[in-house]
Amino acid sequence: MTATIIDGKAFAAKVRGQVAEHVARLKAENGITPGLAVVLVGEDPASEVYVKSKGKQTVEVGMNSYEHKLPAETSEADLLALIDRLNKDAAVHGILVQLPLPGHLNSDLVINAIDPAKDVDGFHISNVGLLGTGQKSMVPCTPLGCLMMLRDHLGALSGMNAVVVGRSNIVGKPMAQLLLGDSCTVTIAHSRTKDLAGVCRQADILVAAVGRPEMIPGDWVKPGATVIDVGINRIERDGKNKLVGDVDFASAVEVAGAITPVPGGV
């Protein structure tokens, strides 16, 4: 069997269309134009690409985009002062501080300085706590996108065995909370899990978010399982740079019922 390919690019385009409709309605009915402020400290090339993409997509759906690019040597006090100004700015409805920050800045301190109601990344400790207790919260976008794709492909997830490989605060832990919220039976696995292959083979839903290229081969995948590959790793193969996921796509696509490609998936 060959798995159904879950087209994340097409799904994202559909979501952006829905967001644009919501924004237009907010403007028409309430006179509000949502504004997203993105803060970039330093010149990390990957972060610059992300910030540019976020700004472009914000404007495309009819929102206001406010970009704040700060030099790498910016002090913690100056960064916190900027966040304080954005917290108080009525035109700014969402604040996103691009990670990773330069080493001299305390990421936890910076993230927790953001007004939780404007914390669109969902990383503030208040939002983490709300998510963990099943209350309404801001949710990290990557796991939420994964959940939306799973619901779109599978419908109800209730009762399914879900295995999340990876325990990061950005993807693994919130992904597990979201799947629990949809009544899955959830296991968080990681590099120290005993018999990781055996654990993965129990999964109706397998979410790979470990940051290791092609770590999960096809024979770790339960036949017919839905595989969501969050990993994006740059490797060299046959003398060329290539992007690959945390799952070995070539072998997994022969076993899974559905799978996200890399790139073009999550």
Side-chain angles (χ1 to χ4, degrees), residues 14-116:
K14 186 172 92 173
V15 171
R16 283 198 294 274
Q18 292 167 341
V19 171
E21 288 173 14
H22 288 306
V23 170
R25 200 157 63 243
L26 262 177
K27 287 181 182 179
E29 295 175 7
N30 304 94
I32 294 170
T33 301
L36 175 66
V38 181
V39 180
L40 174 64
V41 185
E43 296 174 354
D44 179 78
S47 292
E48 287 188 331
V49 170
Y50 285 135
V51 166
K52 189 177 178 183
S53 170
K54 284 166 185 169
K56 179 171 174 275
Q57 291 176 17
T58 302
V59 172
E60 280 176 359
V61 298
M63 295 193 274
N64 290 328
S65 175
Y66 308 106
E67 287 187 12
H68 297 268
K69 294 185 177 178
L70 307 176
E73 62 274 11
T74 297
S75 71
E76 209 162 72
D78 286 346
L79 179 54
L80 292 172
L82 170 61
I83 290 169
D84 186 53
R85 287 199 302 277
L86 296 173
N87 283 341
K88 293 171 180 171
D89 188 341
V92 173
H93 301 87
I95 301 168
L96 191 155
V97 176
Q98 185 64 43
L99 301 176
L101 290 169
H104 68 284
L105 299 172
N106 182 330
S107 297
D108 290 338
L109 183 70
V110 170
I111 288 162
N112 289 316
I114 299 170
D115 178 346

Side-chain angles (χ1 to χ4, degrees), residues 131 139-151 157 162-182 184 186-188 205-209 228 230 266:
L131 178 63
V139 179
C141 64
T142 301
L144 183 58
C146 295
L147 184 74
M148 289 166 73
M149 284 195 291
L150 285 166
R151 286 173 174 169
L157 309 182
V163 173
V164 180
V165 186
R167 50 181 166 175
S168 73
N169 292 332
I170 294 172
V171 180
K173 290 174 187 172
M175 185 78 247
Q177 296 288 359
L178 289 171
L179 289 164
L180 274 174
D182 268 30
C184 292
V186 183
T187 302
I188 300 179
I205 295 167
L206 180 61
V207 181
I228 302 291
V230 183
V266 176

